[in-house]
C-alpha cells in the first residue's frame, strides 16, 4: 500500500498503478471548435430589457426618490431583470453588481409628450425641467411645477442606439410650496439675460423715448419689478431702509408673468428725455402665493447711455433767461428752452457763463426750464449768458442778465 494513490475528492483508491497514464474523459476543446460552437448572433448588441422602478417594502413599483415642488428624483433598475424586493433597504432594492451592463443611455418621457435624455448607464435622474414636444417643430423647455401630476416612463438603449421596451408608467404629484422652502430654500431666481428688445431711443422731441427690454420667462413667479439707478455715481451706497436697493434706485414699473406658451417677457420703460443720460436697469422676480411673497436677487444691471440727438435737424436756437431772483447771496436762474423745429434741433445741455467764465453745465429734460443756483457774496456783480448745445453744434448766446448782489 506504500505506492497506493488516492482520489482526494472521493477518498477512494485510483485504479491505475503509479506511473501509468490515465486517459481524459473530457479533453479540452480546441480554439477552432469554440469558434464553430458560437451562436449565429455571437458578438451582436443585446437590446436592453424593460427597466424596472425600485420597489417599496410591499413590493409595489415606486420611484423611491425625492419629490419636491420643483424637482423629481427618479430611480430604476436597468438590465438586471426582475428581482425580489429587499425588505431591509427599499431605497436601493435589487442592485447586485449587474446594474447597467450593456446600457449606453436612457430616455425619460414626461406626460407622453415631454422627454429628457440621459447618456450612460446611470439609473437615476433628477428632473427639474424637460423638453415639451407637443409641437415637434417648436420644443419648449418646461420647468417642473408644484402641485402638478407627472407620469414618467424610462427606456434604455445599447451602443448601437437600439431601444428596448419602456418601463411601466410611474405617476407622481409634486407637493405644494411651503413657506420655509419658498423663502429660504428656493426663492425665485433672477432673470440674468436682460437685453434690449429694440435700439435705444434717440431723443428728438420733448416727449422723449422709452427703452424696450426683454428677458426669458422665469418659471413659478408672479411678476417682475424693474428699477433704474438715477444717480450718475457708480459707487453709490446701499439704501439701508430698502433691502437690496441703492439710495438712488427708482422703481420704473412692473410686469405680470405672461401666460402659458410665452417664453419671453418684455417691458418698456417710461420715457427718457435727456440725451447722453446714463442708466442702470435691473430686474427682480417676485412670487406671491398663500405662503406670502418671495423676492429674487436682482439681475445683473444693464448699463448704458441714451444716445445723442444725432438726427437733430440742426443746432439749438438761442435760449433765454427769465428773472434771476437773489436772497442772501443765492442767485436762482431759470433758463427758457429754445423752440424745436425743422431748423433748430433739441438741446442736450446748457452752459452758463458769468462774463467769460463758465459757472455751470446743466442737463435737463427737453421742453423743461433748467434751474441753476449759484452762491455769490454781497455786493458782487454778475453778467450771465447761456448757450445750448447738441450733436449738431452750439446755439447763439442768450440775452444777458446783469446785476449786483444786494448787501442784505
Amino acid at each position: 500500500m506504500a505506492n497506493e494513490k488516492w482520489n482526494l475528492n472521493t477518498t477512494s483508491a485510483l485504479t491505475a498503478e503509479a506511473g501509468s497514464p490515465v486517459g481524459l474523459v473530457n479533453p479540452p476543446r480546441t480554439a477552432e471548435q469554440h469558434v464553430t460552437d458560437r451562436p449565429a448572433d455571437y458578438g451582436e448588441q443585446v437590446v436592453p430589457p424593460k427597466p424596472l422602478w425600485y420597489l417599496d417594502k410591499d413590493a409595489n413599483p415606486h420611484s423611491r426618490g425625492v419629490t419636491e415642488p420643483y424637482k423629481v428624483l427618479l430611480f430604476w433598475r436597468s438590465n438586471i431583470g426582475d428581482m425580489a424586493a429587499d425588505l431591509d433597504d427599499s431605497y436601493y432594492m435589487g442592485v447586485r453588481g449587474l446594474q447597467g451592463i450593456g446600457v449606453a443611455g436612457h430616455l425619460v418621457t414626461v406626460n407622453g409628450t415631454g422627454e429628457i435624455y440621459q447618456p450612460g448607464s446611470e439609473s437615476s435622474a433628477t428632473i427639474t425641467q424637460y423638453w415639451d414636444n407637443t409641437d415637434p417643430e417648436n420644443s419648449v423647455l418646461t420647468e417642473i411645477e408644484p402641485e402638478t401630476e407627472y407620469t414618467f416612463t424610462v427606456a434604455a438603449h445599447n451602443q448601437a442606439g437600439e431601444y428596448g421596451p419602456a418601463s411601466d408608467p410611474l405617476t407622481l404629484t409634486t407637493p405644494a410650496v411651503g413657506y420655509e422652502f419658498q423663502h429660504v430654500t428656493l426663492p425665485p431666481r433672477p432673470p440674468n439675460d436682460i437685453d434690449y428688445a429694440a435700439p435705444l431711443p434717440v431723443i428728438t422731441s420733448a416727449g422723449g423715448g422709452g427703452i424696450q427690454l426683454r428677458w426669458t420667462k422665469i418659471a413659478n413667479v408672479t411678476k417682475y419689478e424693474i428699477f433704474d439707478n438715477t444717480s450718475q455715481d457708480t459707487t453709490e451706497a446701499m439704501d439701508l431702509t430698502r433691502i437690496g436697493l441703492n439710495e438712488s434706485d427708482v422703481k420704473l414699473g412692473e410686469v405680470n408673468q405672461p401666460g402659458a406658451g410665452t417664453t419671453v417677457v418684455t417691458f418698456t420703460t417710461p420715457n427718457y428725455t435727456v440725451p447722453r443720460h446714463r442708466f442702470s436697469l435691473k430686474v427682480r422676480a417676485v412670487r406671491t402665493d398663500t405662503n406670502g411673497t418671495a423676492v429674487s436677487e436682482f439681475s445683473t444691471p444693464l448699463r448704458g447711455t441714451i444716445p445723442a440727438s444725432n438726427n437733430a435737424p440742426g443746432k439749438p436756437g438761442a435760449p433765454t433767461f427769465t428773472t434771476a431772483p437773489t436772497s442772501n447771496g443765492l442767485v436762482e436762474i431759470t433758463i427758457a428752452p429754445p423752440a424745436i423745429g425743422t431748423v433748430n434741433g433739441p438741446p442736450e445741455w446748457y452752459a452758463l457763463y458769468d462774463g467769460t467764465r463758465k459757472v455751470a453745465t446743466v442737463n435737463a429734460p427737453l421742453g423743461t426750464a433748467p434751474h441753476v443756483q449759484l452762491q455769490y457774496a454781497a455786493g458782487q456783480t454778475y453778467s450771465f449768458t447761456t448757450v445750448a448745445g447738441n450733436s449738431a453744434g452750439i446755439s447763439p448766446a442768450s440775452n444777458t442778465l446783469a446785476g449786483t448782489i444786494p448787501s442784505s
Side-chain angles (χ1 to χ4, degrees):
M1 298 296 292
N3 293 325
E4 188 176 61
K5 304 298 181 182
W6 291 86
N7 185 324
L8 298 181
N9 291 324
T10 63
T11 68
S12 61
L14 295 175
T15 57
E17 291 295 327
S20 62
V22 177
L24 295 176
V25 177
N26 296 307
R29 299 179 66 77
T30 66
E32 290 77 10
Q33 290 173 320
H34 280 295
V35 171
T36 302
D37 292 342
R38 289 175 180 174
D41 60 352
Y42 180 85
E44 293 184 4
Q45 291 281 338
V46 177
V47 176
K50 179 176 75 174
L52 303 172
W53 300 111
Y54 281 122
L55 307 182
D56 62 17
K57 293 183 179 180
D58 296 322
N60 297 316
H62 196 283
S63 78
R64 299 307 298 168
V66 178
T67 306
E68 296 181 0
Y70 304 103
K71 177 170 62 179
V72 175
L73 277 70
L74 301 175
F75 296 87
W76 61 87
R77 311 193 305 280
S78 189
N79 204 21
I80 56 175
D82 197 5
M83 298 178 112
D86 183 343
L87 300 183
D88 295 327
D89 185 0
S90 61
Y91 195 82
Y92 287 110
M93 192 285 305
V95 178
R96 298 179 182 174
L98 300 176
Q99 183 75 289
I101 292 178
V103 174
H106 292 90
L107 183 67
V108 180
T109 62
V110 187
N111 292 341
T113 60
E115 63 182 34
I116 187 78
Y117 178 73
Q118 179 165 293
S121 60
E122 177 66 31
S123 57
S124 64
T126 300
I127 311 295
T128 58
Q129 54 187 10
Y130 59 93
W131 290 103
D132 187 344
N133 298 320
T134 302
D135 179 358
E137 296 183 357
N138 185 28
S139 297
V140 178
L141 190 61
T142 305
E143 307 271 349
I144 294 292
E145 297 186 356
E147 299 181 90
T148 303
E149 183 178 273
Y150 295 96
T151 298
F152 300 93
T153 63
V154 59
H157 71 81
N158 57 23
Q159 294 289 348
E162 301 169 316
Y163 276 91
S167 68
D168 293 333
L170 176 67
T171 300
L172 302 170
T173 300
T174 52
V177 179
Y179 181 89
E180 182 73 13
F181 186 87
Q182 171 172 279
H183 291 264
V184 179
T185 306
L186 189 67
R189 60 182 179 88
N192 272 327
D193 60 345
I194 299 174
D195 202 354
Y196 304 115
L200 290 173
V202 177
I203 312 302
T204 58
S205 67
I211 299 175
Q212 298 180 48
L213 302 175
R214 68 183 301 277
W215 60 89
T216 302
K217 175 181 176 181
I218 303 297
N220 309 305
V221 302
T222 307
K223 63 181 181 180
Y224 306 87
E225 296 178 335
I226 301 89
F227 287 77
D228 185 15
N229 188 289
T230 59
S231 172
Q232 302 298 291
D233 183 4
T234 58
T235 62
E236 187 189 24
M238 292 187 297
D239 187 342
L240 299 181
T241 64
R242 300 184 300 165
I243 296 176
L245 297 173
N246 292 328
E247 291 178 349
S248 296
D249 283 344
V250 175
K251 184 176 180 179
L252 301 181
E254 56 186 46
V255 57
N256 290 331
Q257 177 81 315
T262 302
T263 60
V264 175
V265 186
T266 59
F267 176 81
T268 301
T269 69
N271 286 352
Y272 288 82
T273 57
V274 181
R276 304 182 193 272
H277 178 82
R278 293 200 301 268
F279 57 84
S280 180
L281 300 169
K282 56 187 178 181
V283 180
R284 65 183 179 185
V286 180
R287 181 173 63 233
T288 301
D289 57 19
T290 55
N291 295 305
T293 298
V295 180
S296 76
E297 296 180 351
F298 275 106
S299 64
T300 301
L302 180 64
R303 295 187 173 95
T305 303
I306 298 297
S309 301
N310 293 322
N311 62 344
K315 64 185 180 181
T320 57
F321 282 120
T322 60
T323 57
T326 60
S327 176
N328 297 322
L330 182 66
V331 184
E332 296 187 8
I333 304 169
T334 302
I335 303 172
I340 302 172
T342 57
V343 176
N344 298 119
E348 296 181 6
W349 51 266
Y350 299 87
L352 178 65
Y353 292 83
D354 184 357
T356 60
R357 181 172 61 96
K358 183 189 289 187
V359 292
T361 301
V362 183
N363 294 318
L366 297 178
T368 62
H371 295 272
V372 180
Q373 291 184 335
L374 299 171
Q375 186 69 48
Y376 276 57
Q380 185 175 351
T381 61
Y382 57 83
S383 179
F384 295 126
T385 57
T386 186
V387 295
N390 63 15
S391 59
I394 299 175
S395 75
S398 68
N399 59 310
T400 300
L401 269 178
T404 303
I405 301 299
S407 57
S408 62

